[in-house]
Amino acid sequence: DTAVSQTPKYLVTQMGNDKSIKCEQNLGHDTMYWYKQDSKKFLKIMFSYNNKELIINETVPNRFSPKSPDKAHLNLHINSLELGDSAVYFCASSRWTEELQFFGPGTRLTVL
Amino acid sequence: GESVGLHLPTLSVQEGDNSIINCAYSNSASDYFIWYKQESGKGPQFIIDIRSNMDKRQGQRVTVLLNKTVKHLSLQIAATQPGDSAVYFCATDQTGANNLFFGTGTRLTVIP
């Protein structure tokens, strides 16, 4: 009954590969987010979606493509993975009318 | 843009003592402030939040203080316990923006 879940928890892959991370929330929220946390623990927003519509698209390489099939899901696809993509990626969700965001457990991506 | 910073990257306290974690922000338009706790291998968890129309809010063993004049936020943890050991983040937002800006984090270590 996890509120915000992500799969996989760990992802190890080679440079140049394409991979996806999935996120699901069962809180009934209409807004979902992807964040990247670097090795220094700095958290930075990448994207946000409201009702399946892209709202925030920070300066992120276009190798990163979010997809929201419905309000409860926001997946992140990454093409041509690079060493610098290694990080922990967090999904979060909120109500559009509220600032409080609930975070998933994170996906640790390691690019070799 | 927003700049959210923390005065101390690490903080060590004795079990039972009170902890104070500080945060500075630069955007005077910020009107929502939130503290998250991130334990090792987990996602950020909500602790307490406060809006700009308040200068103090209390929860269970935690208090957030907001000084809008100097753009400063602090988190006080009473009777710190080993389970409080984690990285603590402050974040700011503007009503309606749904765009949290996170600080760099403070690692709190509780010494038994």
Side-chain angles (χ1 to χ4, degrees), chain B residues 17 37 58-63 76-81 83-84:
Chain B
D17 286 353
K37 171 186 179 184
Q58 288 183 290
Q60 189 178 12
R61 283 200 306 118
V62 294
T63 301
Q76 299 178 2
I77 305 174
T80 314
Q81 301 168 1
D84 294 328

Side-chain angles (χ1 to χ4, degrees), chain B residues 45-63:
Chain B
Q45 296 173 279
F46 167 75
I47 303 173
I48 191 167
D49 57 3
I50 189 169
R51 294 197 178 275
S52 57
N53 60 352
M54 301 173 69
D55 53 22
K56 180 180 180 179
R57 193 167 186 215
Q58 288 183 290
Q60 189 178 12
R61 283 200 306 118
V62 294
T63 301

Side-chain angles (χ1 to χ4, degrees), chain B residues 15-101:
Chain B
E15 182 178 356
D17 286 353
N18 296 333
S19 304
I20 299 176
I21 301 172
N22 296 303
C23 178
Y25 64 97
S26 61
N27 187 351
S28 57
S30 297
D31 59 5
Y32 177 78
F33 308 88
I34 187 169
W35 282 98
Y36 283 94
K37 171 186 179 184
Q38 186 178 19
E39 295 175 278
S40 181
K42 296 184 179 179
Q45 296 173 279
F46 167 75
I47 303 173
I48 191 167
D49 57 3
I50 189 169
R51 294 197 178 275
S52 57
N53 60 352
M54 301 173 69
D55 53 22
K56 180 180 180 179
R57 193 167 186 215
Q58 288 183 290
Q60 189 178 12
R61 283 200 306 118
V62 294
T63 301
V64 55
L65 298 177
L66 175 62
N67 185 330
K68 294 180 290 293
T69 304
V70 296
K71 299 189 188 70
H72 184 267
L73 188 68
S74 68
L75 176 70
Q76 299 178 2
I77 305 174
T80 314
Q81 301 168 1
D84 294 328
S85 292
V87 177
Y88 289 80
F89 293 95
C90 68
T92 65
D93 200 351
Q94 298 177 45
T95 300
N98 289 85
N99 193 357
L100 281 177
F101 285 92

Side-chain angles (χ1 to χ4, degrees), chain A residues 9 31 33 35 37 40-43 45 48 56 58 90 94-96 98-105, chain B residues 31-32 34 36 38 41-44 46 49 51 87 89 93-100 102-104 107:
Chain A
K9 174 82 171 164
T31 307
Y33 312 80
Y35 287 83
Q37 185 172 50
K40 296 179 182 176
K41 295 288 190 181
F42 186 62
L43 262 169
I45 191 165
S48 76
I56 293 174
E58 291 292 321
F90 287 100
S94 72
R95 290 194 181 94
W96 177 247
E98 296 180 4
E99 296 88 350
L100 173 57
Q101 296 180 21
F102 294 85
F103 283 77
Chain B
D31 59 5
Y32 177 78
I34 187 169
Y36 283 94
Q38 186 178 19
K42 296 184 179 179
F46 167 75
D49 57 3
R51 294 197 178 275
V87 177
F89 293 95
D93 200 351
Q94 298 177 45
T95 300
N98 289 85
N99 193 357
L100 281 177
F102 280 80
T104 52
R107 183 177 296 281

Side-chain angles (χ1 to χ4, degrees), chain A residues 5-69:
Chain A
S5 60
Q6 297 178 226
T7 54
K9 174 82 171 164
Y10 300 96
L11 184 54
V12 181
T13 188
Q14 299 286 333
M15 265 196 311
N17 284 350
D18 304 337
K19 291 293 179 185
S20 293
I21 308 172
K22 295 187 176 183
C23 178
E24 177 181 3
Q25 55 93 6
N26 62 6
L27 296 167
H29 290 162
D30 51 10
T31 307
M32 296 184 72
Y33 312 80
W34 277 109
Y35 287 83
K36 180 180 181 180
Q37 185 172 50
D38 62 23
S39 58
K40 296 179 182 176
K41 295 288 190 181
F42 186 62
L43 262 169
K44 185 165 167 46
I45 191 165
M46 299 171 69
F47 303 101
S48 76
Y49 269 73
N50 175 251
N51 279 320
K52 304 193 296 175
E53 186 179 332
L54 181 64
I55 302 298
I56 293 174
N57 184 357
E58 291 292 321
T59 306
V60 174
N62 58 15
R63 298 181 294 105
F64 290 78
S65 53
K67 283 191 170 48
S68 182

